[in-house]
Amino acid sequence: MGTALIYDEEMTKYKLLWVDPACKIEVPERLSVSYEALVRTGLSDRCVSVPPREALDAEILLVHSEEYLEGVKKTPHMTLEDLKEFTLQYGDVYFHPNIYHCAKLAAGSALQLVDSVMTGKVRNGMALVRPPGHHSMRSAASGFCVFNNVAIAARYAKQKHGAERVLIVDWDIHHGQGVQYCFEDDPSVLYFSWHRYEHQKFWPNLRESDYDSVGKGSGAGFNVNVPWNEVGMENSDYLSVFCHVLLPVAYEFCPDLVLVCAGFDSAIGDPEGEMCATPDIFAHLTHLLMNLAGGKLCAVLEGGYNLTSLAQSVCQTVQTLLGDPLPQLANLRSPCESALESLQCVRSVQRQYWSILKHAADSATTDVSTKRIKLAKAEEEKAETAEDERSQEEKVWPEPAERLRPPVCSVSVLPDDAACPDGLKRLASSKDLGPLLVSRIRNRSMEDAGDADGVATFSRLYTLIEKMRTNEIGNGVALVPDVAAAVECVVRDLCSDLVSRVLVVCVGKEELNYATADGKMLVVQISGEDKEEQKGKYYIPVCLKKGCGDTVGFIQAVFGLLLPLGYEYDPGLVLLVRVPGSGVGDCMWQQLIGLLKGFAKGHTLVLMQTNDGACMGPTASALLGHPAPPLQELLTPLPDDGGALERMRERLQADWKMLQTTGEWVC
Ligand code: X5A
Ligand code: ZN
């Protein structure tokens, strides 16, 4: 199952024909430069090339009015003067004799992509299109957009492919007001958008772009706006919003298809966005969405006006869709105060609609005087940033690191009589451990009857860890007689010389008494028992009263705690431990493996107990990069067990900044 790429040079064949400072950044090179970068890096060759087609009138009419379509249809025959006049009815957009043709191709590209993904021809894909779509409305062009490509695609997916729920993630830096208007009262399409807002000072300057526009009627709660009230947002700000708002809501929504309004004006260097997130953040944003909807994800280009930043970001996105290892995001900073305020406001207004956010801290009611102060402050800043447009273009950042696929994706370390799952390579040979390590291992696996076997297993594990470090192997799974003893041995004896930070994720209750305070490992334990107290910064027991089978609780723990902790900790290896009888379901387990692959460049070692081999199949599948099945049970969540998790998150915020979800200021 591959990745589709849709591109046609034809969509570079229109441009601005007069002087308009608001439109001069929307140039044909946006598309050619992005495509050329995909060719140069060899990524386009690895994709399934799908041709675009023109969207039919009937398809355009799924979203737009007849009058509007008829108006646009006349533009190919207009004189320059007529085109200028036609353009004047709308805001920040231009027409050209060939734009109608391109707009039909852009919308049709999105439909071709949906067809390819929904019929299973490919797993996912990206369409490189011009003109963009998310600003265009039922009867109006806007913000360089003519037809609303993604909105049309969502309606089409429902109608033609029977998709019941479609998630639209709009990570472009502008608010896709066209998409919001289209689905405002529709609970079958969840629209998420973050956007530069600056308390309504930024284009399109709409009151309804704020966090309190949540949808209307039965669509209430299915519109999620995250306004950025300052420029300069960074990777940590974006990841915080994904972990603490979008992902929990998206998992509860349980979409059949994910559409991404993939604008890259939210990346560093962009003259419109003026944000500071680096292109490799899009690898993570993409990855975090790739286990929803059974992996069915269609990304459709929107904005992106710094050609360097745009091309790099497009490559990061496509490379992730192809399944390559994720880049490490080192040195994440804390989310900034303004981002935290936005986060708090969104969570507090959305918590009534999403059971997974029910325990989000309630923010105080709107404090008008505070808002005034902020407005004034925004005004001041605006005045200060007169020099900015050039300074954005002059911004420099390091080129994203190469993301090399290891020669061997996944291996198994198994007893001789256990069958190796398809696609995994059995690790047979092992390294001579040397007498010191052997005696250390002997001392640990004391009571084990098959002591010689134990040493052989551990020496294979040592080889595996070593080869993950050198990227000869991606990940692996091992069956061991006693997981608790194995974890201790792996972390203390085998990893200590090889990796500096190990993230240990333990699912189920097991005595882990060796957590260190020196930060060489971080233990997050998710279990059904409630005895353990948190010990220091690096041992974090998460207790779900109803056990690991409680999907809502588990998801809260994963997105609210585990992922943000992982991003902040930045491990060199992930050790995932499955304690027998934990009660975690197969789907959840696969989701967890999929999500953890975002850390340590995908180097995950799964430890399971020999008698727990039944879940070997699902484990192998997830390690090989197959998308996890959707968590259907979230559609009818059980009553949950209260705010214990929220309180724990609050306690830990002093040590772990990525856990913060509230600002000092009220909304
Ligand atoms: C698709 C997109 C931006 C329009 C900005 C107008 N449009 N000032 O990024
Ligand atoms: Zn944009």
Side-chain angles (χ1 to χ4, degrees):
M1 281 261 278
T3 295
L5 179 63
I6 304 189
Y7 171 77
D8 193 319
E9 206 188 311
E10 179 64 16
M11 286 181 278
T12 65
K13 293 182 178 158
Y14 76 88
K15 62 175 190 203
L16 179 64
L17 296 176
W18 51 82
V19 176
D20 180 351
C23 292
K24 68 169 199 282
I25 56 175
E26 206 293 296
V27 295
E29 290 74 20
R30 296 180 52 240
L31 218 55
S32 47
V33 159
S34 300
Y35 183 69
E36 278 153 23
L38 289 172
V39 172
R40 186 167 12 92
T41 51
L43 290 166
S44 69
D45 272 344
R46 296 170 54 197
C47 293
V48 178
S49 163
V50 174
R53 66 170 173 90
E54 291 184 11
L56 306 172
D57 282 6
E59 292 161 345
I60 293 167
L61 293 172
L62 288 171
V63 166
H64 298 281
S65 68
E66 218 139 342
E67 309 84 82
Y68 176 62
L69 175 57
E70 290 311 312
V72 177
K73 264 188 196 174
K74 295 195 183 102
T75 59
H77 320 289
M78 287 182 185
T79 62
L80 191 64
E81 287 314 306
D82 291 345
L83 282 170
K84 269 194 209 170
E85 199 180 297
F86 185 75
T87 294
L88 276 179
Q89 323 169 55
Y90 309 117
D92 291 16
V93 66
Y94 64 88
F95 280 82
H96 176 282
N98 197 38
I99 201 172
Y100 171 54
H101 184 222
C102 294
K104 280 190 290 185
L105 287 176
S109 297
L111 302 183
Q112 288 283 78
L113 188 53
V114 165
D115 281 335
S116 306
V117 166
M118 291 305 282
T119 59
K121 193 181 158 213
V122 293
R123 172 182 300 162
N124 55 34
M126 170 143 208
L128 293 181
V129 302
R130 270 179 85 234
H134 71 155
H135 296 304
S136 69
M137 291 160 274
R138 185 172 148 75
S139 295
S142 167
F144 318 148
C145 303
V146 176
F147 299 138
N148 202 315
N149 309 320
V150 167
I152 295 170
R155 288 249 160 94
Y156 177 85
K158 287 179 56 184
Q159 201 179 75
K160 171 126 186 252
H161 296 284
E164 285 179 38
R165 289 175 303 279
V166 179
L167 168 66
I168 300 178
V169 177
D170 189 338
W171 71 44
D172 186 280
I173 207 57
H174 300 94
H175 182 217
Q177 84 279 35
V179 185
Q180 172 168 316
Y181 298 152
C182 187
F183 300 110
E184 243 166 354
D185 54 7
D186 184 349
S188 69
V189 178
L190 170 55
Y191 177 61
F192 167 92
S193 173
W194 64 33
H195 35 267
R196 179 169 172 188
Y197 188 59
E198 296 174 293
H199 303 283
Q200 216 179 317
K201 290 281 178 288
F202 190 70
W203 189 89
N205 312 94
L206 301 168
R207 174 65 187 83
E208 60 269 31
S209 304
D210 213 347
Y211 64 86
D212 55 353
S213 290
V214 297
K216 297 176 172 164
S218 62
F222 296 91
N223 193 86
V224 180
N225 281 338
V226 180
W228 298 123
N229 286 319
E230 283 175 15
V231 296
M233 295 299 162
E234 299 184 0
N235 292 351
S236 54
D237 302 301
Y238 287 8
L239 286 173
S240 279
V241 168
F242 261 53
C243 289
H244 297 299
V245 177
L246 173 61
L247 292 168
V249 167
Y251 270 79
E252 185 169 341
F253 180 63
C254 196
D256 303 308
L257 174 66
V258 179
L259 301 177
V260 180
C261 286
F264 299 101
D265 40 18
S266 41
I268 189 163
D270 192 278
E272 277 286 309
E274 297 183 39
M275 297 300 175
C276 294
T278 51
D280 48 9
I281 196 64
F282 296 102
H284 287 266
L285 303 186
T286 305
H287 158 77
L288 290 168
L289 299 173
M290 275 170 67
N291 279 298
L292 288 156
K296 295 194 291 296
L297 187 156
C298 301
V300 181
L301 183 67
E302 298 279 358
Y305 307 99
N306 176 311
L307 298 182
T308 310
S309 173
L310 170 64
Q312 289 176 357
S313 302
V314 166
C315 288
Q316 290 293 317
T317 303
V318 171
Q319 195 171 2
T320 307
L321 292 175
L322 284 163
D324 282 1
L326 277 286
Q328 232 162 334
L329 292 175
N331 314 316
L332 273 191
R333 298 214 277 178
S334 309
C336 69
E337 180 60 25
S338 172
L340 290 172
E341 286 167 25
S342 300
L343 204 57
Q344 177 177 10
C345 292
V346 182
R347 282 165 56 91
S348 124
V349 70
Q350 293 287 347
R351 51 182 285 205
Q352 57 185 305
Y353 305 107
W354 300 99
S355 57
I356 225 155
L357 295 181
K358 197 160 75 199
H359 301 283
D362 205 354
S363 64
T365 44
T366 310
D367 177 334
V368 181
S369 64
T370 325
K371 246 190 161 163
R372 289 264 159 68
I373 296 169
K374 284 193 203 168
L375 268 167
K377 211 176 128 210
E379 205 93 58
E380 255 170 54
E381 273 161 22
K382 187 105 187 173
E384 287 165 22
T385 49
E387 16 74 54
D388 51 30
E389 201 160 304
R390 232 176 357 100
S391 76
Q392 288 300 315
E393 289 295 334
E394 282 164 6
K395 254 210 167 106
V396 289
W397 60 93
E399 210 176 314
E402 248 197 305
R403 297 162 58 183
L404 293 172
R405 226 178 224 280
V408 176
C409 175
S410 310
V411 302
S412 62
V413 172
L414 302 168
D416 291 335
D417 56 346
C420 180
D422 283 350
L424 262 60
K425 197 176 151 190
R426 186 191 283 264
L427 201 69
S429 61
S430 54
K431 216 174 140 140
D432 191 359
L433 286 180
L436 187 65
L437 213 46
V438 170
S439 80
R440 270 202 269 168
I441 291 165
R442 284 243 162 77
N443 285 339
R444 289 203 195 286
S445 47
M446 308 146 284
E447 297 132 53
D448 276 342
D451 192 33
D453 258 16
V455 172
T457 299
F458 286 120
S459 74
R460 279 185 218 156
L461 283 176
Y462 188 81
T463 306
L464 170 51
I465 293 163
E466 158 97 6
K467 291 198 168 177
M468 286 199 282
R469 189 179 60 92
T470 55
N471 204 34
E472 290 166 79
I473 293 175
N475 55 42
V477 54
L479 281 183
V480 294
D482 176 350
V483 278
V487 182
E488 182 164 3
C489 178
V490 166
V491 172
R492 284 201 169 168
D493 302 325
L494 305 185
C495 288
S496 52
D497 321 319
L498 299 178
V499 245
S500 42
R501 287 183 308 283
V502 184
L503 172 61
V504 180
V505 180
C506 184
V507 179
K509 188 65 190 173
E510 196 49 82
E511 258 356 285
L512 302 172
N513 299 317
Y514 47 85
T516 57
D518 59 7
K520 289 185 108 181
M521 62 177 176
L522 166 63
V523 180
V524 179
Q525 178 165 51
I526 307 176
S527 75
E529 274 146 85
D530 197 5
K531 286 181 220 125
E532 208 86 24
E533 266 299 298
Q534 181 202 332
K535 295 185 206 129
K537 179 175 173 183
Y538 296 99
Y539 179 68
I540 299 171
V542 183
C543 299
L544 305 174
K545 282 207 195 83
K546 283 183 294 180
C548 293
D550 167 15
T551 309
V552 170
F554 207 97
I555 283 283
Q556 282 176 335
V558 168
F559 294 125
L561 283 163
L562 180 56
L563 289 190
L565 285 169
Y567 276 114
E568 186 163 349
Y569 184 61
D570 183 29
L573 175 71
V574 177
L575 190 59
L576 174 58
V577 186
R578 183 180 167 107
V579 180
S582 70
V584 66
D586 277 356
C587 289
M588 192 65 246
W589 177 248
Q590 289 188 65
Q591 288 283 352
L592 181 61
I593 295 174
L595 290 165
L596 287 172
K597 285 179 94 184
F599 301 128
K601 297 178 175 160
H603 297 311
T604 303
L605 169 54
V606 182
L607 288 181
M608 306 195 300
Q609 202 145 303
T610 320
N611 59 359
D612 196 19
C615 70
M616 190 50 117
T619 304
S621 162
L623 285 175
L624 287 166
H626 303 307
L631 293 163
Q632 295 280 352
E633 56 269 37
L634 276 169
L635 290 170
T636 46
L638 303 162
D640 70 333
D641 53 17
L645 237 116
E646 280 303 304
R647 288 194 294 278
M648 160 149 214
R649 219 161 42 74
E650 259 158 55
R651 268 208 319 276
L652 288 165
Q653 280 168 15
D655 286 329
W656 300 98
K657 301 298 174 203
M658 283 297 289
L659 299 180
Q660 296 180 341
T661 51
T662 50
E664 278 164 48
W665 296 59
V666 290
C667 300

